[in-house]
Amino acid sequence: MNCHKCNKLIVRSSKDKATNKIQCSECRENFHGQCVGFGETELSVYETSGRKWLCSNCAHDRRLSRSYSDGGDALSQDSNNEIASLKILIKDLGEKLDSGLKRIETDLGKSLESCHEKLDENAALLSAQQLIIEKQNQIIESLKSDKLALSKKVTELSVRLTDLEQYSRSNTLEIHGIPGSQNENVAGIVMEIGKALDVPIKEDMIVACHRLKQKNNRPSPGIIVKFVHRTVKERIMERRRVKRTLSTRHLGLASDTPIYINQSLCQERAILFAKAKKVKKELNFKFLWIDRTGNIKIRRDETSTICVIKTDSDIEKLAGNRV
């Protein structure tokens, strides 16, 4: 048998049941299930339940026959009833829609009003916070200015304190290179150095004299001596610059170790002098010395300006002006 719709052979299949047949109970024509829109489930329902099925043509004819048998008035009345029902339904839906829209509009209005209130509150809060921030910024700027002024004042006071401490050492020398011994007479060693430099030194010309603490980079601790008058110190420094070969043999010792005589520096000035020596080497400066008052001075060459170093900022300026 062939399908009345596609005119192809109907073959019962266990694999694809949608191709199995279904028969119209009116015209008794056979169709593929898939040709009339039925899948396996629909075909199984009709097959097991024994329900009758009409093809589209027979179903159309049956509807027409029922309409004619009921009469035109009945059809018209049914149509009117359906239209009236639809109108009522549409009216109800419209009323519900209007009610819903009004409720949504009211809720939205309240929400927008609440949002505006919150925005106004936030704007006022932000304005107040902005004023606070501006005041805090003014305070910060004032504190910065005060800090700079205080920092400058501290630097000035530190320099003055260092100058005073260094001035207290204006009569003081440090001597290095002389080996130490037990029960030595340190003042006597200083007087012997005076003889070697042709500067007579008596014991009453010395205020204090003793060995310094041992340093790791020196074979023996140095000697620090403070004179009553600064002129004695200055004469010794002048004679040492003339007699560059001064060594321990001039003191009658068997060794021949150079003797170094330097102006005594306070701790802050000594640290600064060490930094200055490093900068001198890095920048290839030619001269670095300590003057009679204990100030550190540096000069690039014979034609350059002499710079006085009193603070770390002076060192930084030199490093910043490197060529």
Side-chain angles (χ1 to χ4, degrees), residues 161-169 174 263-273 294:
L161 182 62
T162 302
D163 286 342
L164 288 172
E165 188 175 354
Q166 187 59 47
Y167 181 78
S168 69
R169 294 171 178 256
E174 290 184 13
Q263 183 160 314
S264 179
L265 297 177
C266 63
Q267 184 177 4
E268 290 78 8
R269 198 62 58 87
I271 293 172
L272 201 60
F273 186 64

Side-chain angles (χ1 to χ4, degrees), residues 139-286:
I139 294 172
I140 289 171
E141 292 299 323
S142 177
L143 289 174
K144 285 182 179 179
S145 178
D146 292 344
K147 179 180 177 294
L148 289 175
L150 287 173
S151 179
K152 183 178 179 181
K153 189 67 176 178
V154 168
T155 301
E156 292 175 355
L157 291 174
S158 178
V159 170
R160 288 177 60 184
L161 182 62
T162 302
D163 286 342
L164 288 172
E165 188 175 354
Q166 187 59 47
Y167 181 78
S168 69
R169 294 171 178 256
S170 59
N171 301 352
T172 307
L173 289 176
E174 290 184 13
I175 304 170
H176 296 276
I178 301 174
S181 61
Q182 285 187 339
N183 301 321
E184 64 182 354
N185 182 359
V186 182
I189 294 174
V190 174
M191 288 187 283
E192 289 295 323
I193 291 174
K195 288 180 183 179
L197 293 175
D198 297 327
V199 179
I201 299 175
K202 295 180 181 180
E203 192 168 355
D204 60 0
M205 299 169 65
I206 300 174
V207 175
C209 182
H210 60 83
R211 286 277 182 178
L212 296 168
K213 290 183 179 180
Q214 176 68 47
K215 293 185 178 180
N216 295 332
N217 61 344
R218 296 183 183 275
S220 58
I223 297 172
I224 185 168
V225 54
K226 183 173 183 179
F227 298 101
V228 176
H229 299 289
R230 187 171 62 187
T231 54
V232 179
K233 181 208 75 170
E234 292 176 353
R235 284 203 304 270
I236 291 175
M237 292 291 292
E238 289 173 359
R239 290 298 302 161
R240 177 62 181 86
R241 282 192 287 269
V242 173
K243 194 170 185 177
R244 296 179 177 274
T245 59
L246 180 66
S247 69
T248 53
R249 64 183 176 83
H250 294 100
L251 304 183
L253 300 178
S255 60
D256 189 15
T257 305
I259 297 175
Y260 301 97
I261 302 175
N262 301 315
Q263 183 160 314
S264 179
L265 297 177
C266 63
Q267 184 177 4
E268 290 78 8
R269 198 62 58 87
I271 293 172
L272 201 60
F273 186 64
K275 293 179 181 179
K277 286 197 293 186
K278 184 178 178 181
V279 170
K280 173 182 178 291
K281 182 178 179 181
E282 291 176 351
L283 302 183
N284 296 320
F285 274 55
K286 193 172 182 180

Side-chain angles (χ1 to χ4, degrees), residues 25-42:
S25 60
E26 188 74 27
C27 65
R28 313 304 294 178
E29 294 289 348
N30 296 303
F31 297 86
H32 285 117
Q34 62 185 8
C35 289
V36 293
F38 286 166
E40 294 181 13
T41 302
E42 289 86 349

Side-chain angles (χ1 to χ4, degrees), residues 12-25:
R12 187 174 183 83
S13 173
S14 59
K15 294 182 178 180
D16 187 5
K17 292 184 179 181
T19 61
N20 292 344
K21 76 168 184 173
I22 185 169
Q23 189 179 61
C24 177
S25 60

Side-chain angles (χ1 to χ4, degrees), residues 5-185:
K5 187 171 184 178
C6 67
N7 203 28
K8 291 183 180 179
L9 183 66
I10 299 175
V11 180
R12 187 174 183 83
S13 173
S14 59
K15 294 182 178 180
D16 187 5
K17 292 184 179 181
T19 61
N20 292 344
K21 76 168 184 173
I22 185 169
Q23 189 179 61
C24 177
S25 60
E26 188 74 27
C27 65
R28 313 304 294 178
E29 294 289 348
N30 296 303
F31 297 86
H32 285 117
Q34 62 185 8
C35 289
V36 293
F38 286 166
E40 294 181 13
T41 302
E42 289 86 349
L43 288 176
S44 297
V45 170
Y46 276 100
E47 186 177 351
T48 56
S49 65
R51 290 173 56 186
K52 293 182 179 182
W53 173 76
L54 296 177
C55 66
S56 59
N57 292 331
C58 293
H60 178 67
D61 292 340
R62 178 168 291 189
R63 284 194 297 272
L64 288 176
S65 64
R66 285 181 180 177
S67 298
Y68 288 128
S69 63
D70 292 339
D73 292 338
L75 179 61
S76 176
Q77 184 64 35
D78 290 341
S79 298
N80 291 335
N81 290 337
E82 290 180 2
I83 291 171
S85 298
L86 287 173
K87 286 182 177 179
I88 293 171
L89 180 60
I90 291 170
K91 182 179 179 182
D92 291 341
L93 289 174
E95 291 176 353
K96 290 180 180 179
L97 183 60
D98 289 340
S99 176
L101 289 174
K102 288 180 180 179
R103 185 171 61 256
I104 292 172
E105 183 178 358
T106 301
D107 293 341
L108 284 175
K110 291 180 179 179
S111 298
L112 287 173
E113 185 177 354
S114 176
C115 289
H116 285 306
E117 291 176 356
K118 292 291 184 183
L119 287 173
D120 291 339
E121 291 176 3
N122 289 335
L125 181 61
L126 287 174
S127 179
Q129 289 178 343
Q130 185 64 34
L131 290 175
I132 293 173
I133 291 171
E134 290 176 359
K135 290 181 179 178
Q136 294 296 331
N137 287 336
Q138 292 175 359
I139 294 172
I140 289 171
E141 292 299 323
S142 177
L143 289 174
K144 285 182 179 179
S145 178
D146 292 344
K147 179 180 177 294
L148 289 175
L150 287 173
S151 179
K152 183 178 179 181
K153 189 67 176 178
V154 168
T155 301
E156 292 175 355
L157 291 174
S158 178
V159 170
R160 288 177 60 184
L161 182 62
T162 302
D163 286 342
L164 288 172
E165 188 175 354
Q166 187 59 47
Y167 181 78
S168 69
R169 294 171 178 256
S170 59
N171 301 352
T172 307
L173 289 176
E174 290 184 13
I175 304 170
H176 296 276
I178 301 174
S181 61
Q182 285 187 339
N183 301 321
E184 64 182 354
N185 182 359

